[in-house]
Amino acid sequence: MSECQNVIGKPIKNQPLLLMGKGEISFGSNCKFGYKESAQFYATYSYVEARNPDTSIVFGNNNYFNNNCSIEAVNYIEFGNDVLVGVNCSFIDNDGHNLAVENRKNGIPNSAPIKIGNNVFIGDNVTVLKGVTIGDNAVIGNGSIVTKSIPSNVIVAGNPANVIKELQ
């Protein structure tokens, strides 16, 4: 079912993985999707879409995405190395539709790149929105909605996500 013709590298698929769009999707080594033993989530799939010809999604090495992950880009999304992502997470680099009513159905949505650093741990049910950079070694708590950039070496949680502790 995957339709993306510009895939570089080969992810390890422990659940169905749908790769879509006209852009480029690049996988580093040992990039895994899905966890067979996750109860009630194994029946789902992960979705990665590089929508436009100039769109890129880049995965570093040794990344692990748990079941039911959605990654949608019209611009650019990058994951560093050794990133751990929980169940039901979404990464969206755009508004989905233009916010101006007259352009909502036909216009190009606002977008900005997402960059995830190295050694980042993202809990379950997290949403990361456009324009966000997450620094190295950051931990994102379950259920957080990340609307602004996060520095390195911190724990964040909430809606919107805020720093709750610095890591030593």
Side-chain angles (χ1 to χ4, degrees), residues 15 26 55 57 62 66 74 94 120 153 155 159:
Q15 75 164 158
S26 174
T55 302
I57 300 174
N62 305 312
N66 209 317
V74 299
N94 65 87
V120 172
N153 303 305
I155 298 173
N159 177 8

Side-chain angles (χ1 to χ4, degrees), residues 152-164:
S152 297
N153 303 305
V154 297
I155 298 173
V156 302
N159 177 8
N162 288 300
V163 175
I164 58 173

